[in-house]
Amino acid sequence: MSDDFDPGALFQIEEPSAPAASKRAPGRGIGIDLGTTHSLVALAPHGEMPREVKDADGNDILPSVVSYVAEEVVVGAQARAAQVANPTRVISSVKRFMGRGRDEVGAHPYPMSAPTDEADQVVRFDMGAQRAVTPMEVSAEILRVLKTRAEAELGEAIDGAVITVPAYFDDAQRQATKDAGRIAGLRVYRLLAEPTAAALAYGLDQTEGGKQGLFAIYDLGGGTFDISILRLREGVFQVLATGGDSALGGDDFDHALAAHLLEAASVSTPTAGQREEALAVARSAKERLSEAEAVSVDVPRCGLSGFDVTREAFEALIDPIVRRTVKACRQTLKDADVSPDDLHGVVLVGGSTRVPKVRAVVEKTFKRPPLCDLDPDRVVAYGAAIQADILSGSAREGVTLLDVVPLSLGIETMGGIVEQLIPRNATIPIGARQVFTNYSEQQTGIVFHVVQGERELATDCRSLAKFELRGIPQLPPSMARIEVSFQLDADALLTVTAKELMTGIKQSIEVKPTYGLDEAAVDALVMESLDNAEADFEARNLAEGRVETGRVSLAVRTALEEVGHLEDLLPAAERELIVAALLATDEAMANASGTPGELKKAREHLESVSEAFARRRMERALLSGMEGKSLGEIESTLAAEEALEERRGSHTPQQT
Amino acid sequence: MDHFERLGQPRQHALDRDGLETEYLARAARAHPDKVDQDDASAKRAAMETSAAINEAYRTLRNPATRAEYLVKLGGRDLDSSDPSVGAPKMPQAFLIEMIEHRERVADARSAGADALDELREDVDGQQGDALAEAVLAIADGDIETASRQLVVRRYLQRLLDEIDDEG
């Protein structure tokens, strides 16, 4: 049950050293949808409509696939193309591993490096060449690509990011996502629940006169399923309840169909390559079946060709999976105390909602056709971009988002029973306290086990962390009073603190996340990425310096050729200086081991000696009454005229 | 500051549910951590504290049963405390026996079928509502002892309802 809330007592633990404060940066926030099968980044600077950011080839969707085949890590379509040939070195669907322990991840094709000790639950993929990478690091590779892409689009460094997570993600999964962001060198403004992001993108806050509304968001992604009931009132978007399954998604459709194909090919023990191929074929068949009634498929490695799959057969295969989503929808409606008739709209999110069967089931469950005008693959990133714009300090009109914690949080007590401190669907931020006591005078320490879940026994819940409070004064049994405080922030991330009340002395607490990296390990990875970032920055600087210097040099050279011979524009002494500076610039450009600083110096010298020449050209152009044209246009026109005049050998006005 | 003050409500059991929600949403929106400079760590932390307190206040007050329990707590009886002088009052033997009998009725009804269970559920739910109504009347009279006893009865009945729902 709830304790009386006394905020004064809750926050006595010192803030961990905050990063150096920088001013807010309006318009420099980005929204990232870090998905199971694909990811993307969107921008909505200064109140603009959100837009996805494309790479140099014009693709915005980045397959969430990371290849460790070669020394250089490759992300995206290229990595996916390498997957069938290298199933153990190319990691896909890494989101399923986020915040998960070794015992929990199920079957997968990746070799893992040995645990450091018995208690070590952190997943580390063994990618050869001494590379052991955690799911956080794999995700960071994806985030890094998106960050770079956004920076290229913005033309400046980004300030921070909103990263979306399934609403149903537990604390460990959220923490892992935030750590991935930090490892990628991103300041994570906020972890935003995917359904809430979708609601923002749809502008549901603008509908119904922007006053009232009740909405369901059905989000079936590649590997996760979320259902959320949102209510809008008084400019506040409130999540009433959320539910789902963080290990259920469109990938399961692929697996069901792939298993069907392998069975049809009589392959009972497929090799990793055969399985990857069957999956790839299944994925493509699933997508085509959204339009077609039947498709014909080939799985060469399994000796299957011209095999027909009908939509009906596919729907029968996925029926049990779709049914599980309906069950979660009913439970969440009940949690929110809402009946389908009360709703004003149902929104579809996630690529898997393109499957006609899914749409039909949603329509039946919620008794209305779902909204699907926005691309279900992009809507989440759009919403994240809007919230990132708000949090970057833009003067954007926005609603307040009140989110909930998806799963109850508690502490294991005597006998393995969970004492619940924060119930599921409580609005965040929220805090709670509970007082524990000692059971013997000899006891000087107490171990706390923090768990998340709805079950009564700690072993049936997810283990989040264990920590030990040491240095408890030796007091008779039940006399020591140890107060444990839970604090959930607006990202639904948990901070646990403990102190002994009798002495009032602040005690040392060591928190060991069960499935994640501790603070020091994340910091080390952040530093590593910063080191790399510096090298990356240097390389980019040099490349940009070359381009800029080349541009200046070419402009001066062209001007010299066109009008450099006119004595009134360029005195001979000045001309000599400029030619010398041009030669020095060429030298600096040719020097392969040159630094960005040297290039810059040469460029600045050239600019300074040619400045007067440029100014005179500009004045002459203005005097010619040719405003509105670029200097280049003016000069080429003037040069042409002068050449003409010279040929005529006269200075008389041109005749018509 | 108590939960009532925090949400601008009179310290009484009868509250206008709609007005309570409107107040809550306005205050929650104003205090939200998103509304402060994201680089100002102390402002962010202060916003988190205030937001958490507002959310906790609303969670307690919006439900009539927890609201009554909170009023009793303000009156000096904390049902969650194990300290006999300020915690839940000791219940008479007769009541405990009655609860054991209730539990047996649940087992009987479960084996008798869904209709019997539904009927029992309705009966228990009625008693639970009556206990809360008694408690609310006692609170209005300033009789914290009676109110706290009625609320303990209500909790027992609520647990029974949860059990019926869980396995039903």
Side-chain angles (χ1 to χ4, degrees):
Chain A
M1 281 282 114
S2 64
D3 272 325
D4 185 20
F5 192 88
D6 173 8
L10 257 182
F11 299 92
Q12 298 181 343
I13 304 295
E14 280 155 51
E15 174 95 338
S17 56
S22 59
K23 284 292 141 215
R24 284 223 263 180
R28 291 205 280 130
I30 61 173
I32 294 178
D33 174 2
L34 184 61
T36 309
T37 47
H38 63 247
S39 301
L40 80 157
V41 56
L43 292 170
H46 307 292
E48 287 172 22
M49 288 287 285
R51 62 176 195 272
E52 59 274 30
V53 182
K54 296 186 168 86
D55 67 6
D57 299 327
N59 299 314
D60 60 329
I61 300 277
L62 178 70
S64 301
V65 184
V66 181
S67 164
Y68 292 88
V69 174
E71 195 189 325
E72 195 192 347
V73 177
V74 177
V75 180
Q78 220 185 319
R80 190 163 69 186
Q83 193 162 24
V84 173
N86 306 279
T88 60
R89 286 286 181 86
V90 178
I91 300 178
S92 58
S93 297
V94 70
K95 191 169 175 178
R96 285 182 184 236
F97 295 89
M98 294 291 272
R100 295 277 169 202
R102 284 171 180 268
D103 299 343
E104 295 177 305
V105 291
H108 61 83
Y110 314 116
M112 300 234 273
S113 53
T116 53
D117 59 60
E118 267 176 39
D120 182 24
Q121 271 290 336
V122 179
V123 172
R124 285 187 200 83
F125 303 114
D126 180 0
M127 291 293 110
Q130 319 274 291
R131 276 185 304 198
V133 292
T134 61
M136 288 72 92
E137 290 165 87
V138 178
S139 296
E141 296 290 351
I142 298 167
L143 292 172
R144 219 171 265 139
V145 170
L146 296 174
K147 173 180 178 239
T148 309
R149 199 185 272 184
E151 278 175 342
E153 171 89 5
L154 270 175
E156 55 187 340
I158 62 152
D159 181 63
V162 170
I163 304 178
T164 58
V165 290
Y168 209 57
F169 254 23
D170 64 29
D171 185 80
Q173 292 169 305
R174 281 168 200 254
Q175 191 62 59
T177 306
K178 193 163 187 178
D179 288 345
R182 285 182 57 206
I183 293 166
L186 283 168
R187 179 147 78 117
V188 181
Y189 284 151
R190 171 62 35 87
L191 298 176
L192 183 62
E194 286 162 10
T196 313
L200 282 180
Y202 264 97
L204 296 183
D205 47 315
Q206 319 288 322
T207 57
E208 311 273 335
K211 286 276 174 239
Q212 296 262 8
L214 196 57
F215 306 93
I217 319 285
Y218 180 101
D219 180 357
L220 189 61
T224 56
F225 169 65
D226 271 2
I227 172 72
S228 296
I229 311 294
L230 270 70
R231 174 146 178 232
L232 176 75
R233 189 178 163 175
E234 318 287 335
V236 177
F237 237 143
Q238 200 182 358
V239 180
L240 293 186
T242 191
D245 190 330
S246 60
L248 173 70
D251 285 0
D252 295 310
F253 296 173
D254 303 346
H255 285 281
L257 184 50
H260 178 65
L261 294 177
L262 289 171
E263 199 186 316
S266 306
V267 178
S268 53
T269 48
T271 63
Q274 282 176 322
R275 193 181 299 117
E276 283 306 326
E277 189 187 51
L279 269 177
V281 170
R283 191 182 307 127
S284 141
K286 171 189 76 177
E287 285 164 9
R288 284 184 290 149
L289 280 170
S290 290
E291 301 292 330
E293 285 297 330
V295 296
S296 170
V297 302
D298 302 320
V299 194
R301 280 171 194 242
C302 302
L304 200 65
S305 76
F307 182 74
D308 284 329
V309 182
T310 63
R311 187 188 283 179
E312 202 185 339
F314 174 65
E315 291 184 346
L317 286 170
I318 65 172
D319 187 62
I321 306 165
V322 179
R323 270 176 200 281
R324 274 166 70 194
T325 72
V326 172
K327 202 173 159 220
C329 290
R330 298 227 170 93
Q331 177 61 45
T332 306
L333 282 167
K334 192 178 164 213
D335 280 357
D337 197 13
V338 164
S339 97
D341 298 318
D342 302 334
L343 295 172
H344 295 104
V346 180
V347 172
L348 291 185
V349 185
S352 306
T353 60
R354 288 207 176 85
V355 173
K357 165 96 174 172
V358 172
R359 294 199 171 184
V361 162
V362 170
E363 181 161 351
K364 192 161 164 246
T365 307
F366 293 100
K367 301 181 182 172
R368 71 195 59 242
L371 293 169
C372 48
D373 336 331
L374 292 180
D375 186 332
D377 284 327
R378 292 173 175 83
V379 60
V380 166
Y382 291 163
I386 291 172
Q387 191 63 12
D389 189 40
I390 294 172
L391 292 178
S392 78
S394 277
R396 182 180 205 120
E397 281 284 316
V399 289
T400 305
L401 302 177
L402 290 184
D403 225 320
V404 298
V405 56
L407 298 160
S408 305
L409 287 155
I411 277 200
E412 178 177 351
T413 58
M414 297 289 269
I417 303 286
V418 177
E419 170 83 24
Q420 197 182 83
L421 267 80
I422 295 177
R424 159 170 64 118
N425 286 327
T427 304
I428 50 173
I430 197 146
R433 294 175 309 167
Q434 183 78 38
V435 175
F436 294 85
T437 189
N438 59 338
Y439 56 85
S440 107
E441 191 158 350
Q442 269 67 50
Q443 192 181 10
T444 57
I446 180 167
V447 175
F448 291 100
H449 185 202
V450 183
V451 297
Q452 187 164 27
E454 308 313 314
R455 308 287 295 278
E456 279 188 25
L457 287 179
T459 49
D460 296 332
C461 292
R462 294 219 65 215
S463 168
L464 292 181
K466 275 189 178 155
F467 67 86
E468 185 176 9
L469 182 66
R470 284 184 292 268
I472 297 173
Q474 296 205 344
L475 293 165
S478 302
M479 283 303 288
R481 298 181 66 73
I482 300 128
E483 184 188 75
V484 177
S485 303
F486 276 27
Q487 178 64 36
L488 270 181
D489 67 13
D491 291 328
L493 289 178
L494 177 68
T495 308
V496 182
T497 54
K499 64 175 179 174
E500 205 289 307
L501 294 176
M502 289 294 284
T503 55
I505 299 169
K506 241 192 308 190
Q507 306 290 0
S508 66
I509 302 166
E510 197 181 323
V511 180
K512 278 195 177 167
T514 311
Y515 300 113
L517 300 171
D518 59 26
E519 194 74 1
V522 174
D523 283 344
L525 287 166
V526 171
M527 287 315 290
E528 204 175 284
S529 94
L530 283 180
D531 287 349
N532 286 336
E534 216 156 85
D536 293 351
F537 184 73
E538 185 91 336
R540 197 170 60 211
N541 233 352
L542 190 61
E544 284 173 0
R546 278 179 192 284
V547 172
E548 176 65 8
T549 308
R551 193 187 60 75
V552 172
S553 160
L554 181 67
V556 173
R557 223 176 276 269
T558 310
L560 270 187
E561 273 167 26
E562 286 179 351
V563 296
H565 56 285
L566 302 175
E567 185 73 19
D568 57 333
L569 272 183
L570 187 58
E574 219 178 293
R575 187 190 161 89
E576 266 170 46
L577 276 176
I578 292 176
V579 171
L582 270 175
L583 288 175
T585 310
D586 288 348
E587 222 168 284
M589 292 272 281
N591 181 7
S593 58
T595 66
E598 286 164 11
L599 259 185
K600 189 174 174 222
K601 217 170 130 192
R603 181 173 72 237
E604 283 174 355
H605 178 66
L606 176 61
E607 281 172 337
S608 91
V609 297
S610 63
E611 194 201 332
F613 176 41
R615 199 182 56 240
R616 274 181 239 115
R617 275 152 56 214
M618 181 66 83
E619 283 163 1
R620 190 180 65 135
L622 290 175
L623 285 173
S624 313
M626 296 185 75
E627 293 99 318
K629 288 198 178 179
S630 76
L631 187 58
E633 285 172 317
I634 292 165
E635 290 205 323
S636 61
T637 310
L638 290 176
E641 278 172 16
E642 272 152 11
L644 194 65
E645 279 172 55
E646 270 169 28
R647 245 177 283 136
R648 283 184 183 146
S650 102
H651 285 273
T652 52
Q654 203 178 328
Q655 290 187 333
T656 49
Chain B
M1 195 187 298
D2 70 34
H3 291 337
F4 291 96
E5 278 177 74
R6 196 169 294 279
L7 296 180
Q9 302 294 316
R11 194 190 284 190
Q12 63 192 36
H13 194 268
L15 296 181
D16 170 23
R17 210 186 142 150
D18 197 56
L20 174 68
E21 191 185 14
T22 308
E23 268 303 315
Y24 160 67
L25 291 174
R27 285 168 197 241
R30 258 202 316 274
H32 198 272
D34 284 354
K35 295 292 162 71
V36 301
D37 186 341
Q38 298 301 301
D39 288 313
D40 187 338
S42 68
K44 256 182 105 169
R45 197 176 49 190
M48 185 165 77
E49 287 175 30
T50 314
S51 293
I54 289 169
N55 287 332
E56 173 69 11
Y58 183 59
R59 207 158 65 80
T60 307
L61 297 192
R62 89 181 143 185
N63 178 311
T66 51
R67 191 192 309 148
E69 287 178 1
Y70 184 64
L71 279 164
V72 163
K73 183 177 178 177
L74 291 178
R77 276 285 179 191
D78 181 357
L79 300 195
D80 291 316
S81 167
S82 52
D83 182 339
S85 62
V86 296
K90 211 165 174 303
M91 298 305 283
Q93 190 103 30
F95 169 76
L96 297 173
I97 290 169
E98 196 185 326
M99 285 302 121
I100 292 167
E101 285 168 3
H102 261 312
R103 197 146 281 161
E104 284 165 1
R105 282 173 63 201
V106 173
D108 290 348
R110 204 182 292 284
S111 47
D115 284 348
L117 201 60
D118 281 351
E119 203 176 305
L120 178 63
R121 196 195 183 288
E122 212 164 293
D123 181 30
V124 176
D125 195 29
Q127 291 182 41
Q128 181 267 137
D130 290 347
L132 178 59
E134 292 285 334
V136 169
L137 282 176
I139 290 169
D141 289 343
D143 182 356
I144 295 302
E145 287 309 306
T146 302
S148 65
R149 268 199 305 279
Q150 290 295 340
L151 287 172
V152 170
V153 170
R154 198 210 68 81
R155 274 195 181 188
Y156 269 99
L157 295 166
Q158 181 65 54
R159 219 162 294 152
L160 211 55
L161 285 175
D162 291 344
E163 275 169 31
I164 294 171
D165 290 346
D166 268 1
E167 293 158 42

